[in-house]
Amino acid sequence: MNASINNIRNKIAEKGLKVTPQRMSILEAIYNLENHPTVEQIIEFIRKKHPNIATGTVYKVLDTLVSNDLVKKVKTEKDIMRYDGLIENHHHLYCVVCDHIEDYMNAELDEILKRFFEENKIDNFIIEDIKLQINGRFIIHKNVNR
Amino acid sequence: MNASINNIRNKIAEKGLKVTPQRMSILEAIYNLENHPTVEQIIEFIRKKHPNIATGTVYKVLDTLVSNDLVKKVKTEKDIMRYDGLIENHHHLYCVVCDHIEDYMNAELDEILKRFFEENKIDNFIIEDIKLQINGRFIIHKNVNR
DNA sequence: TTTTAAAAGAGAATGATTCTCATTAAAGAA
DNA sequence: TTCTTTAATGAGAATCATTCTCTTTTAAAA
């Protein structure tokens, strides 16, 4: 998932948001960092080119990006927020060993779930979306982030 | 899900843990409070009968209960930890309106998922368990906790 | 180029959780 | 029952991710 500078600029502008260097580089960071980065990792990445960005700004920009559907929040067991540049509804693989999170999408699975819950309505509850948290372990660990 | 005093005592003793009044009342609180209580709600409940319990003790006891499989941690969108007295593998309904969390168990669903992932192995990943986060809204809101 | 509302910066404040260390108590041994 | 030992609790300080406040800066429209 990479996006050119102009691509990133457009994504921000399309939402009617002001295009600032801070917003650009935060979105760029999320697209470049694999494994659903933490705020800390995002800040570390950005400071290479933009050493003076304020922590509060990063949090504020992330909130803006999330509420404009440019980024999603991902919560882990570990209780630190992480961010995901993939916007479409999808599931997550969580490695219990190395903390790596991988996106998982499968249309057939979503169809099966949809059908199941059509046939098995939940009393007093209207489903909006379903996310699977698939816990397990990677056989070959890729990039261990922490 | 209610349990008698002796029942609670046994659950703690069976794990080889010392039976303390603090552990007893925290486990009792989780069984009695509906809707996957927060630490704050657990403390509030306990202080009625046990006004001097220390906050740190509650956190420590909860960790002990979690690592001994007497209680599970549940994380919500709102990023405050909540606790669940239901130990068996199960799914959660999250109400996006009222923050109510309800346990959901369905053996047929688990079977369908098991079969799906047997037929659709994920490259480089061994699944240990799968949890559904079913987001939606209750038609009739029950006990709104906050 | 000017204007202005929105965004960013700096750093203090917040608040859930963890840590430290002295005191207390559970549970097995005597 | 009493003693002993080890683990648990209490009290409050410390931590640290996140939020807030308020001033300064800047994007973008006029």
Side-chain angles (χ1 to χ4, degrees):
Chain A
M1 174 181 36
N2 267 315
S4 73
I5 300 297
N6 276 328
N7 202 323
I8 289 173
R9 178 187 305 282
N10 286 340
K11 280 174 190 281
I12 295 170
E14 274 168 14
K15 299 291 180 177
L17 298 172
K18 282 192 190 171
V19 177
T20 66
Q22 291 83 350
R23 287 175 173 170
M24 294 278 292
S25 44
I26 289 168
L27 200 46
E28 190 188 10
I30 294 170
Y31 289 147
N32 278 283
L33 291 164
E34 300 293 322
N35 195 16
H36 305 73
T38 62
V39 173
E40 197 187 340
Q41 293 166 338
I42 293 168
I43 290 173
E44 191 188 355
F45 184 94
I46 293 172
R47 290 247 164 96
K48 288 175 197 163
K49 289 185 180 175
H50 199 305
N52 298 320
I53 194 165
T55 313
T57 301
V58 177
Y59 281 98
K60 224 175 309 161
V61 168
L62 284 168
D63 279 354
T64 306
L65 297 178
V66 168
S67 55
N68 283 278
D69 296 322
L70 288 168
V71 154
K72 278 187 176 184
K73 280 189 177 188
V74 182
K75 58 180 181 297
T76 69
E77 298 303 324
K78 300 254 164 65
D79 193 25
I80 290 179
M81 207 52 80
R82 293 168 66 165
Y83 292 85
D84 190 347
L86 181 63
I87 283 304
E88 296 84 61
N89 195 56
H90 64 277
H91 309 293
H92 284 133
L93 308 180
Y94 287 84
C95 182
V96 298
V97 178
C98 71
D99 244 9
H100 187 76
I101 300 175
E102 202 162 294
D103 294 321
Y104 179 83
M105 301 181 86
N106 186 306
E108 188 193 342
L109 174 62
D110 291 335
E111 187 50 43
I112 289 171
L113 289 171
K114 185 163 168 257
R115 207 176 320 131
F116 176 85
F117 284 106
E118 276 166 7
E119 287 164 12
N120 297 272
K121 293 251 187 274
I122 299 170
D123 201 40
N124 189 36
F125 193 78
I126 297 163
I127 295 176
E128 292 188 353
D129 69 276
I130 296 174
K131 289 194 195 101
L132 265 69
Q133 178 180 331
I134 306 168
N135 300 305
R137 46 191 77 218
F138 290 107
I139 300 164
I140 299 162
H141 298 293
K142 283 167 260 192
N143 44 352
V144 180
N145 271 19
R146 40 195 201 115
Chain B
M1 177 180 36
N2 266 316
S4 72
I5 299 297
N6 276 327
N7 202 322
I8 290 173
R9 179 187 304 281
N10 286 340
K11 280 175 189 281
I12 296 170
E14 273 167 15
K15 299 291 183 179
L17 298 172
K18 282 190 192 173
V19 178
T20 67
Q22 291 83 352
R23 288 176 172 171
M24 295 276 295
S25 44
I26 288 168
L27 200 46
E28 190 188 9
I30 294 170
Y31 289 147
N32 278 282
L33 291 164
E34 299 294 324
N35 194 15
H36 306 72
T38 61
V39 173
E40 198 186 339
Q41 292 166 339
I42 292 168
I43 290 173
E44 189 187 357
F45 183 94
I46 292 172
R47 290 246 164 95
K48 289 174 195 162
K49 290 184 180 174
H50 199 306
N52 297 319
I53 195 166
T55 313
T57 300
V58 177
Y59 281 98
K60 224 174 308 160
V61 167
L62 285 168
D63 279 354
T64 305
L65 297 178
V66 168
S67 56
N68 283 278
D69 297 321
L70 288 168
V71 154
K72 279 187 176 184
K73 279 189 176 186
V74 182
K75 163 121 14 104
T76 68
E77 296 304 324
K78 299 253 163 67
D79 193 26
I80 291 179
M81 206 53 79
R82 294 167 66 163
Y83 291 86
D84 190 346
L86 182 63
I87 283 303
E88 297 82 63
N89 194 57
H90 63 276
H91 309 293
H92 284 135
L93 308 179
Y94 287 85
C95 182
V96 298
V97 178
C98 71
D99 242 10
H100 187 77
I101 301 175
E102 203 160 292
D103 294 321
Y104 179 82
M105 302 180 86
N106 186 306
E108 188 193 341
L109 174 62
D110 291 334
E111 188 50 43
I112 289 171
L113 289 171
K114 185 164 167 256
R115 206 177 320 130
F116 177 85
F117 285 105
E118 275 166 8
E119 287 164 11
N120 298 272
K121 294 251 187 271
I122 300 169
D123 202 37
N124 189 36
F125 193 77
I126 298 163
I127 294 176
E128 293 188 352
D129 69 274
I130 295 174
K131 291 198 194 94
L132 267 71
Q133 178 181 330
I134 306 168
N135 300 306
R137 47 191 76 220
F138 290 106
I139 300 165
I140 299 160
H141 298 293
K142 283 169 259 193
N143 44 352
V144 180
N145 270 19
R146 35 198 204 113

